[in-house]
Amino acid sequence: MSVVQSVLFNPAIPKQDRQDAINRIHADPGIPTPNPTSSFWLRTPHPTLSQTQSKQLPPEADVVIIGSGITAASIARTLLKESSKPDQGSSKPAVAIIEARDICSGATGRNGGHILATAEDFVDLEEAFGLDVAKKVTRFRLAHLAEVLKVAAEEDLTEESQARKVQSLTVCFDESVWRGLVHCITRFKECMPDEAKEWKILEKDEIPKEFCLPSARGIIALPAGAIWPYKFVTGLLARLKQEFPQDLVIETNTPVMEVRRDATTTAAAAAIDLPYSVVTSRGTIKARHVIHCTNAHVGHLVPGLRGRIFPIRGQMSAQNPGQDFACQGEQHSWTFVYERGFDYLTQLPDGGQAGTSAKMMFGGGFAQGEAGGVADLGISTDSELSLYADIHLSGALSAIFGRENWGSVSGPGVEQMWTGNMSYTFDGLPWVGKLPDLATQRGPVHPGQGAEWISSACCGEGMVQTWLSGKALGRMLLIHDNRLSGPQDLSWFPDEMLVTEERIQKAH
């Protein structure tokens, strides 16, 4: 991906720093650390799911999903609601979600809650894959806003998760960066006029004063959304648990240490219904299918993807606005694009839950990190802060919005600061689908048996990649088992995101 390449191959970066980052990228990312930084989104743990565990780990499950974030929730919902052949009277659950820590405490519980599909990547996608693929990938990303808001409404989670559509403002401060941004948006509007109807290019003299952005060179205004990601996922899982009490189990604080596949001959393979052993800290679960939704940690259990999917540490904060800044949480979200790097911001609605009203959910500072961000490449832990990102995020907002528009802050300026790990690839696209032996290194999958699957590597754009990737993967699995109700059309899903041996060989 261009962000990673621009940082990793910057000639100003010392050779040893670059080599250290490459070594981390190829290393085993391990399992989630037990002592993460404290995320604001998790400040009120879900009353029933936060640390839910069965008294005894179920010995079997049809599908084991490793991870409990938004991807896992999307897959579980698809498997449970779209299966045409429920296993009546089965003693094993249809889906078991296994989480190393508390529920949804990984990337989804640490991100910005920003449902934002920008068009700046359109030109890069066109150059790398051609115009048709660029259009398809862009449509896929854009579709997430309506889809997530629709699911929130269907599950009666709109108010609880604060799911809302906003106008996002991509604010640029540098002349040369602005001209490049305008070029990308202009090309997007030329090629996809219907999808680009709501995109507006605002030159400096066209920026409304009430935006409170006195130093902006220009703004791209576009449709986006904002959400409380933890409440969306936990609310959804709670409803699935209530609707499918026998078919869904959730086991938190149960890290998976190893996935094993029974060694069999080809002739005997089809007769084995549960070929996988998922070894956890609390025992072993036998499974027909295993799905890896472990984001930055995927290389631990799928060794063939180390160096192809790799972690990057990101940083987020919850801040209090200045007393003179009018809350825009129902109207706007923001991306701030600098000469080097960018930040992202949403604001919680005014008059919300006690202690959360109008909070500024501000993340980024990657390019301002140690060695220009190189020190965060390959970091899979979320237990420490980046000092330089902390310094940048802690002081940026009053300068961005103008001190005359900001005023003094009542209480602490920064209420909470935390880190999370994202998973990246060099081509900037997720990896979704059935894993070949080249990736798992556990032997070939035989016809008639289950398989290992993956949905991961959203490259910092999880809210516009994960939900529909999970939905597609759930349908792929049901098609594999001839259990999908309804049409089997997956033409809307970009083939370039699929896992193939060819892509694995090229992606190192």
Side-chain angles (χ1 to χ4, degrees):
M1 183 172 180
S2 59
V3 172
V4 178
Q5 291 172 353
S6 65
V7 171
L8 191 59
F9 303 119
N10 183 346
I13 300 299
K15 185 177 180 180
Q16 188 58 52
D17 289 347
R18 182 183 297 111
Q19 187 59 53
D20 289 344
I22 292 172
N23 292 342
R24 291 193 300 269
I25 283 171
H26 286 84
D28 182 348
I31 63 176
T33 56
N35 57 335
T37 52
S38 180
S39 167
F40 179 90
W41 299 123
L42 278 67
R43 63 183 298 159
T44 306
H46 192 277
T48 60
L49 294 186
S50 175
Q51 298 181 343
T52 186
Q53 278 188 0
S54 304
K55 290 183 179 180
Q56 191 170 18
L57 198 69
E60 298 178 347
D62 187 51
V63 179
V64 168
I65 301 175
I66 308 174
S68 67
I70 189 170
T71 305
S74 175
I75 294 171
R77 186 176 191 261
T78 302
L79 293 177
L80 292 168
K81 288 182 175 286
E82 299 190 27
S83 175
S84 63
K85 296 180 180 179
D87 192 0
Q88 298 292 340
S90 174
S91 61
K92 63 180 183 292
V95 177
I97 294 177
I98 312 296
E99 170 57 51
R101 303 186 302 205
D102 289 358
I103 197 80
C104 195
S105 59
T108 303
R110 298 174 172 276
N111 70 22
H114 204 182
I115 311 171
L116 177 68
T118 64
E120 291 92 304
D121 292 337
F122 183 82
V123 171
D124 290 338
L125 287 167
E126 182 182 11
E127 182 178 343
F129 300 105
L131 180 58
D132 289 343
V133 173
K135 288 181 177 180
K136 191 168 186 177
V137 171
T138 301
R139 288 193 184 101
F140 173 80
R141 294 175 178 175
L142 292 174
H144 278 75
L145 175 58
E147 182 76 9
V148 171
L149 295 180
K150 183 185 78 170
V151 172
E154 289 175 350
E155 302 291 346
D156 194 24
L157 288 168
T158 301
E159 183 176 354
E160 180 181 339
S161 66
Q162 299 180 353
R164 59 203 184 274
K165 183 179 179 180
V166 297
Q167 182 187 55
S168 189
L169 306 177
T170 299
V171 185
C172 192
F173 302 94
D174 179 84
E175 178 64 35
S176 62
V177 175
W178 172 244
R179 299 306 349 152
L181 184 59
V182 168
H183 166 71
C184 292
I185 300 304
T186 301
R187 178 60 179 165
F188 166 61
K189 287 173 131 332
E190 289 173 354
C191 297
M192 303 183 71
D194 290 340
E195 291 82 358
K197 284 179 180 177
E198 294 186 63
W199 264 253
K200 299 177 183 178
I201 300 173
L202 301 178
E203 294 286 350
K204 185 177 180 64
D205 58 358
E206 299 174 309
I207 299 173
K209 186 176 181 181
E210 58 266 25
F211 282 7
C212 299
L213 293 164
S215 300
R217 167 59 188 85
I219 290 175
I220 307 297
L222 62 148
I227 200 168
W228 194 304
Y230 176 82
K231 291 186 178 181
F232 175 72
V233 170
T234 55
L236 174 58
L237 290 176
R239 283 156 175 75
L240 289 176
K241 187 75 175 116
Q242 185 176 23
E243 186 176 354
F244 302 95
Q246 305 303 317
D247 284 325
L248 175 63
V249 297
I250 302 174
E251 306 290 342
T252 65
N253 295 291
T254 306
V256 175
M257 319 306 292
E258 184 182 2
V259 175
R260 300 173 185 162
R261 190 172 175 278
D262 292 344
T264 61
T265 64
T266 302
I272 298 178
D273 185 47
L274 304 173
Y276 292 99
S277 296
V278 180
V279 182
T280 81
S281 61
R282 297 173 51 224
T284 298
I285 304 178
K286 298 284 290 181
R288 174 171 170 78
H289 296 281
V290 177
I291 305 178
H292 299 271
C293 301
T294 50
N295 200 46
H297 297 276
V298 72
H300 177 63
L301 297 173
V302 188
L305 293 183
R306 293 174 193 168
R308 295 166 172 87
I309 297 177
F310 51 91
I312 292 182
R313 179 173 61 183
Q315 195 142 317
M316 267 292 296
S317 67
Q319 303 192 27
N320 291 306
Q323 292 179 327
D324 294 339
F325 186 79
C327 182
Q328 301 181 39
E330 297 277 9
Q331 293 81 38
H332 292 133
S333 67
W334 302 263
T335 301
F336 306 116
V337 184
Y338 313 113
E339 181 183 11
R340 185 165 59 91
F342 65 93
D343 299 328
Y344 42 91
L345 171 70
T346 63
Q347 186 174 23
L348 299 186
D350 199 5
Q353 301 173 16
T356 71
S357 178
K359 287 286 188 293
M360 312 293 278
M361 310 304 292
F362 186 39
F366 176 77
Q368 287 72 37
E370 185 180 348
V374 168
D376 289 311
L377 295 180
I379 300 295
S380 61
T381 61
D382 50 19
S383 56
E384 295 181 351
L385 298 177
S386 164
L387 174 61
Y388 294 117
D390 191 341
I391 292 171
H392 169 78
L393 293 175
S394 297
L397 289 179
S398 63
I400 287 171
F401 288 112
R403 291 178 177 84
E404 68 279 11
N405 301 316
W406 193 250
S408 60
V409 176
S410 177
V414 177
E415 188 154 316
Q416 218 155 328
M417 184 83 66
W418 65 93
T419 51
N421 46 49
M422 303 170 283
S423 55
Y424 272 73
T425 63
F426 277 108
D427 65 9
L429 298 177
W431 289 65
V432 181
K434 186 164 64 173
L435 288 166
D437 176 50
L438 185 62
T440 66
Q441 301 176 8
R442 284 185 268 274
V445 175
H446 302 293
Q449 278 199 309
E452 287 186 73
W453 308 76
I454 186 174
S455 183
S456 186
C458 290
C459 303
E461 296 182 303
M463 295 306 295
V464 293
Q465 307 259 43
T466 49
W467 185 264
L468 288 175
S469 292
K471 186 174 183 177
L473 182 63
R475 290 183 175 179
M476 290 176 201
L477 188 151
L478 291 174
I479 291 171
H480 177 281
D481 283 355
N482 193 28
R483 292 191 294 123
L484 178 64
S485 64
Q488 298 191 359
D489 176 36
L490 284 172
S491 60
W492 50 269
F493 186 79
D495 290 344
E496 289 69 24
M497 296 182 184
L498 292 171
V499 180
T500 64
E501 290 193 2
E502 181 182 10
R503 188 180 177 197
I504 292 173
Q505 291 167 344
K506 289 182 177 180
H508 201 277

